[in-house]
Amino acid sequence: MNAYDELLKHTRKTALLSNVLNVIEWDERTKLPKKGGAYRAEQAAFMAGLVHQRNTSPQFGEWLSAAESELPNDDPTADAVVVLRQLRRQYDRKTKLPQDLVEAITRASSIGQQVWAEARRDNDFARFAPQLATMIRLKREEATAVGYIDSPYDALLDDYEPYETTKNVAAVLADLRDHLVPLVAEIGASDRRAPVEILHGQFDVAKQEEFGKLAARSIGFDFDAGRLDVTDHPFCSTSGPFDVRLTTRYQADFFNSGFYSILHEAGHGLYEQGLPAEHFGLPTGEATSLGIHESQSRWWENLIGRSHAFWERLYPAAQVAFGPTLTRVSLDDFYFAVNESKPSLIRVEADEATYNLHILIRFELEQAIIAGDLEVADLPAAWNARYQEYLGISPPDDKDGVMQDVHWSAGLFGYFPTYALGNLYASQFFEACARDLGDLDELMRRGEFMPILDWLQKNIHAHGQRYRAAELVERVTGKPLSSAPLMRHLRAKFGALYGFA
């Protein structure tokens, strides 16, 4: 067996361990008994240590170097070249991280998420603060170990959006902000108001689950290779090539929370199910970046799931599912309600027009936290001040303020910007899809979602990590990333709803 074959064998076995860890972490956030938390943290830390050992072993490095010298690299998109390039990138990063640091971060993540869930329920930031401070210290150590040129935040961002920098993302988001702020002001000045009261009624949780599964199945999610469960903060987890797990949270008196979480996570799940199964565990069978991953969830949640054409197809089924609550509500009123735009406190329930302002707040605070310019004790006040400045509202408590997201408790610093990048990628891909397939609204009205999914699988999913995110965007759309497609979509949609051109 040559060095490349040994490398593939080793990498695939490491993937087995990684996905066992995914199952452990999924179970922790969905099924774990309260008293099992401390021991689960030790289990997760132990497994993460084993994975790190395999990813950084000297033998792995030797096989990697030998394979690099043996195989031709004239075609940068060839499977072997992509695998070696991405494994080299990962190996060089991971070998800079001490195993005890990797285990400490995993342990802190496990405990942190448990503490966060309880502290958020009790609106008790003081209880969460020490655990958050521990995680921030560990992530600073990670940034130092990995190394960076301009900002320690670069080292963390690069883990989720490879080859990207804080400076570039800041410029992209600043450009988006300059276009968004006037749009949000125009919406706010309109005298039209969405009839959102129709979304606050009796929505039986069991029927929400049934209808959510119907919608996810309609757009192509394979429940023979996946499942749906309940958690505190929705996520999607992959534990094997045919094991993709979605989660959501329901409110019995509010439709949007559960349904759009399902569509969002189903978008992630469709990407995972669309990756080439024969390459599972290898870079050629993994997502390009978190931003590209987010483009898929935002595609199905917003560009599809909040479109009029989508509800022309699904609304009759919703009326049947939720009986008296929706029976006398017109399709147009329902469509306007699910697309209400106004400043709000909760990111995951924010509308398309204001959502990215939530991301800007987190992006700026994260940079300050990691740089040491903002202390944990001052974080709630800084959060509230940003919300007042950017959205004109201030959280009444920390539960729906600084503690609303699970990400920081899990150590996911550098993750939030990928949400905004995902919105930009999604809109640019959507225009390219319409260029290639024609009238997407007509396809949705007929319930023909498979041509749309097939287009995504062919143009995005099938490539794995063959291209960097920026390269993939230009390859699929013919243009570099721009805020223009997203702004065209938002202006057309909200201009029609709120009565301005």
Side-chain angles (χ1 to χ4, degrees):
M1 188 176 292
N2 60 32
Y4 182 69
D5 289 336
E6 291 283 7
L7 191 68
L8 294 188
K9 181 180 178 181
H10 181 94
T11 301
R12 288 184 186 276
K13 285 190 174 181
T14 303
L16 288 174
L17 278 176
S18 294
N19 286 288
V20 170
L21 179 58
N22 286 347
V23 174
I24 287 174
E25 292 176 338
W26 168 85
D27 177 78
E28 176 185 328
R29 294 174 63 183
T30 57
K31 306 294 184 182
L32 184 69
K34 183 177 180 179
K35 292 183 178 180
Y39 192 67
R40 178 54 51 85
E42 294 304 316
Q43 291 174 323
F46 177 73
M47 291 298 296
L50 291 180
V51 171
H52 185 69
Q53 286 177 18
R54 292 185 61 84
N55 280 329
T56 60
S57 72
Q59 180 66 77
F60 182 87
E62 291 171 10
W63 284 327
L64 182 56
S65 295
E68 289 170 331
S69 64
E70 292 171 1
L71 295 177
N73 60 4
D74 53 321
D75 180 2
T77 65
D79 285 351
V81 177
V82 173
V83 168
L84 292 177
R85 181 178 68 239
Q86 295 303 108
L87 289 182
R88 168 58 67 187
R89 180 182 182 279
Q90 296 168 20
Y91 181 75
D92 287 349
R93 179 185 177 93
K94 290 171 181 176
T95 52
K96 295 175 182 177
L97 296 175
Q99 182 171 333
D100 60 353
L101 177 59
V102 172
E103 293 181 5
I105 290 173
T106 304
R107 185 178 296 108
S109 173
S110 182
I111 295 173
Q113 291 177 74
Q114 296 165 32
V115 173
W116 166 81
E118 295 176 359
R120 184 172 187 269
R121 289 192 194 105
D122 297 337
N123 190 32
D124 187 359
F125 181 76
R127 182 179 180 186
F128 177 52
Q131 192 61 40
L132 179 58
T134 296
M135 180 58 80
I136 291 168
R137 174 179 57 80
L138 293 171
K139 298 306 285 187
R140 287 172 180 161
E141 290 181 23
E142 178 182 334
T144 299
V146 170
Y148 53 87
I149 296 176
D150 294 324
S151 164
Y153 192 78
D154 285 343
L156 305 180
L157 173 65
D158 183 74
D159 200 27
Y160 305 106
E161 201 65 15
Y163 310 104
E164 195 52 270
T165 67
T166 308
K167 182 179 179 180
N168 287 343
V169 172
V172 169
L173 296 190
D175 178 69
L176 180 58
R177 180 189 61 217
D178 291 345
H179 290 90
L180 274 178
V181 171
L183 173 63
V184 171
E186 288 181 78
I187 293 171
S190 171
D191 58 4
R192 294 187 183 181
R193 295 292 178 266
V196 293
E197 64 277 0
I198 65 181
L199 303 176
H200 296 271
Q202 295 181 6
F203 294 96
D204 179 78
V205 168
K207 291 181 179 179
Q208 285 192 58
E209 180 180 0
E210 182 181 352
F211 182 69
K213 284 184 175 180
L214 168 67
R217 194 176 289 111
S218 296
I219 64 175
F221 187 79
D222 181 3
F223 278 100
D224 288 334
R227 56 179 292 130
L228 174 66
D229 293 275
V230 177
T231 190
D232 287 311
H233 192 103
F235 65 98
C236 173
S237 176
T238 298
S239 302
F242 303 103
D243 185 359
V244 179
R245 305 182 182 204
L246 315 179
T247 64
T248 191
R249 61 185 179 198
Y250 301 105
Q251 295 181 37
D253 59 353
F254 183 48
F255 175 80
N256 281 18
S257 183
F259 181 76
Y260 281 107
S261 290
I262 292 172
L263 273 196
H264 181 96
E265 301 307 336
H268 284 303
L270 287 169
Y271 191 0
E272 292 294 309
Q273 291 183 343
L275 292 166
E278 66 273 19
H279 292 278
F280 188 81
L282 302 175
T284 42
E286 296 176 352
T288 304
S289 72
L290 262 295
I292 297 297
H293 223 310
E294 191 62 21
S295 77
Q296 302 305 281
S297 60
R298 300 297 278 181
W299 173 294
W300 292 104
E301 176 192 359
N302 288 332
L303 299 177
I304 299 291
R306 281 190 164 89
S307 70
H308 197 282
F310 174 86
W311 285 110
E312 286 178 55
R313 181 68 181 184
L314 269 289
Y315 192 55
Q319 289 181 305
V320 171
F322 303 112
T325 305
L326 295 181
T327 299
R328 297 182 180 181
V329 175
S330 71
L331 169 61
D332 286 346
D333 281 347
F334 182 83
Y335 168 70
F336 195 3
V338 298
N339 283 290
E340 179 196 30
S341 179
K342 71 174 184 178
S344 59
L345 293 174
I346 307 301
R347 174 187 63 85
V348 296
E349 296 171 4
D351 61 86
E352 291 179 84
T354 61
Y355 181 88
N356 290 301
L357 297 177
H358 291 259
I359 300 305
L360 277 162
I361 290 169
R362 289 154 176 78
F363 178 51
E364 292 173 1
L365 292 177
E366 283 192 345
Q367 293 176 70
I369 290 168
I370 297 302
D373 297 331
L374 180 63
E375 298 299 324
V376 170
D378 300 324
L379 189 53
W383 179 285
N384 294 349
R386 284 293 206 295
Y387 264 77
Q388 188 63 52
E389 178 185 356
Y390 281 50
L391 292 160
I393 55 178
S394 185
D397 53 37
D398 293 333
K399 176 180 178 291
D400 289 333
V402 71
M403 287 198 296
Q404 68 177 264
D405 294 305
V406 71
H407 300 63
W408 290 344
S409 70
L412 302 181
F413 290 90
Y415 194 116
F416 277 119
T418 67
Y419 288 124
L421 290 172
N423 288 325
L424 293 167
Y425 294 145
S427 296
Q428 196 154 328
F429 288 147
F430 202 76
E431 286 192 351
C433 182
R435 175 199 66 199
D436 294 346
L437 298 184
D439 190 345
L440 301 185
D441 282 350
E442 186 55 34
L443 289 176
M444 286 187 275
R445 290 187 190 101
R446 298 198 301 261
E448 296 178 11
F449 296 102
M450 289 309 98
I452 298 173
L453 180 59
D454 289 343
W455 186 92
L456 290 173
Q457 291 175 338
K458 175 184 176 182
N459 288 280
I460 298 170
H461 305 174
H463 296 305
Q465 295 182 352
R466 202 171 307 280
Y467 307 101
R468 299 180 183 185
E471 294 171 334
L472 182 64
V473 169
E474 194 146 5
R475 174 185 173 85
V476 174
T477 71
K479 299 175 182 178
L481 182 64
S482 165
S483 66
L486 176 58
M487 292 310 304
R488 279 194 290 269
H489 162 70
L490 294 177
R491 280 211 158 269
K493 180 177 196 173
F494 290 102
L497 284 171
Y498 284 92
F500 58 87

